[in-house]
Amino acid sequence: MALPPPDPQFVLRGTSAAIHTLHFSCGGQEPDPPVLFSGSENGLIHVWNLKTHRVDTALDGHGRKSVYCVETMGGKDRLLSQGRDQRICLWDLAEGRTSVTDSVCTEHVGFCRCSLVQLAQGRWLMATAAKGLQEVQVLELPSKTSVCTLKPEVGAKLGMPMCLKLWQLSCGSQPLLLAGYEDGSVVLWNVTMGKALSQLICHQEPVMSLDFDSERTKGISGSSEKVLCIWSLNEQQNLQVYKTHELVNAGISDITIRPDKKILATAGWDHRIRIFGWKKLKPLAVLDYHTATVHCVSFSEHRNPRERLLAAGSKDQRISLWSLYTQS
């Protein structure tokens, strides 16, 4: 690469615990500051003001058990969080409130993050690993109505679901779910019919993370191995390996494709964040700042591209913020 990798634009400290999940909310109207939600091992969710780089609020709803998923539901006043207390909490943060308005008990003992997709104004679909070891439960929110339970065929030894991604080809079309499993498989499920459409063995180890580009119908997954697997979905809805990419060091905790679909970031067990071009998976940068495993990466959706950020959270209790636009 011609340019040396940048330094973090800013580092957020003060959670006093490993960071397991990050989620930006930057679409508010002025004077609303953009915020970053972080979920940490001590059970707290911190709401970071990205103008002051300080914590506005700390939310405590998971009995001090690790928080490993945070998502907003149509704006930063409605929040969903998931913790190792086997609960998914829905929060009302409007007008300074910090209250849990409802919760779902998953009875899931692993650390598979739930996935959300918006069906209509105020209506959401949520997929979460369920009590049954290989099962995924799909619920409608906020009603908590059960839509289906996705179970592999009898005799299929997929193991536990490790990562989930709900998506729609277009607004109003049938929701589909991509699930990565313990045996290294990625499975495409039709949520409406409750059946598996396609299965592909992508890794020899559990799938730790995946992301999917519904415009190109192409996805990417990582595991504890040294390999990123890129796979595509044909018109018959069959998953096919598109290409693989060998990494220098093993272990990927998280993968996310930037909303504009130009680049992607991986969070590495080797303490590094790697940036790739999404079209050809060309390595663009290695961001070397953290001193322990990077658990999560997240891109912001600022309206102005120059303000957009990448955040990474690590076991070293720090969150690094990077501006990748000025470099490109």
Side-chain angles (χ1 to χ4, degrees), residues 163 165 178 180 186 202-203 207-213 217-223 227-232 239-240 242-245 247 252 254-258 263-266 274 276-282:
C163 46
K165 176 81 178 178
L178 284 156
V186 173
C202 296
H203 301 275
V207 184
M208 301 304 292
S209 180
L210 62 81
D211 202 1
F212 186 69
D213 173 355
T217 59
K218 199 171 80 171
I220 184 165
S221 53
S223 71
V227 175
L228 292 174
C229 186
I230 300 94
W231 28 269
S232 59
L239 291 163
Q240 302 164 319
Y242 178 75
K243 68 188 283 190
T244 57
H245 179 85
L247 295 166
I252 294 293
D254 196 18
I255 294 181
T256 183
I257 302 167
R258 199 166 68 182
I263 61 172
L264 68 97
T266 64
R274 285 182 161 76
F276 297 89
W278 175 222
K279 198 171 178 182
K280 295 181 178 171
L281 218 71
K282 181 184 173 186

Side-chain angles (χ1 to χ4, degrees), residues 10-13 15 17-24 36-41 48 113 253-254 256 265-269 271-273 287 289-299 310-322:
F10 216 88
V11 178
L12 306 178
R13 296 179 174 88
T15 60
I19 313 294
H20 284 283
T21 185
L22 293 165
H23 182 78
F24 283 98
L36 174 67
F37 295 95
S38 68
S40 47
E41 202 158 293
W48 298 88
R113 293 175 186 157
S253 316
D254 196 18
T256 183
T266 64
W269 294 4
H271 315 171
R272 292 172 177 88
I273 305 143
L287 307 179
Y289 166 76
H290 290 282
T291 55
T293 295
V294 182
H295 286 309
C296 48
V297 278
S298 180
F299 286 107
L310 166 69
S314 168
K315 189 180 177 179
D316 67 12
Q317 307 185 3
R318 290 176 289 183
I319 300 165
S320 57
L321 297 175
W322 307 79

Side-chain angles (χ1 to χ4, degrees), residues 35-80:
V35 300
L36 174 67
F37 295 95
S38 68
S40 47
E41 202 158 293
N42 59 9
L44 295 180
I45 298 158
H46 291 92
V47 187
W48 298 88
N49 180 319
L50 293 177
K51 289 270 194 280
T52 63
H53 297 115
R54 295 183 186 278
V55 173
D56 275 353
T57 321
L59 308 172
D60 185 358
H62 289 279
R64 297 290 160 149
K65 294 281 202 284
S66 181
V67 175
Y68 58 90
C69 183
V70 176
E71 293 280 349
T72 47
M73 300 174 73
K76 65 181 179 192
D77 291 340
R78 285 181 56 78
L79 191 72
L80 176 147

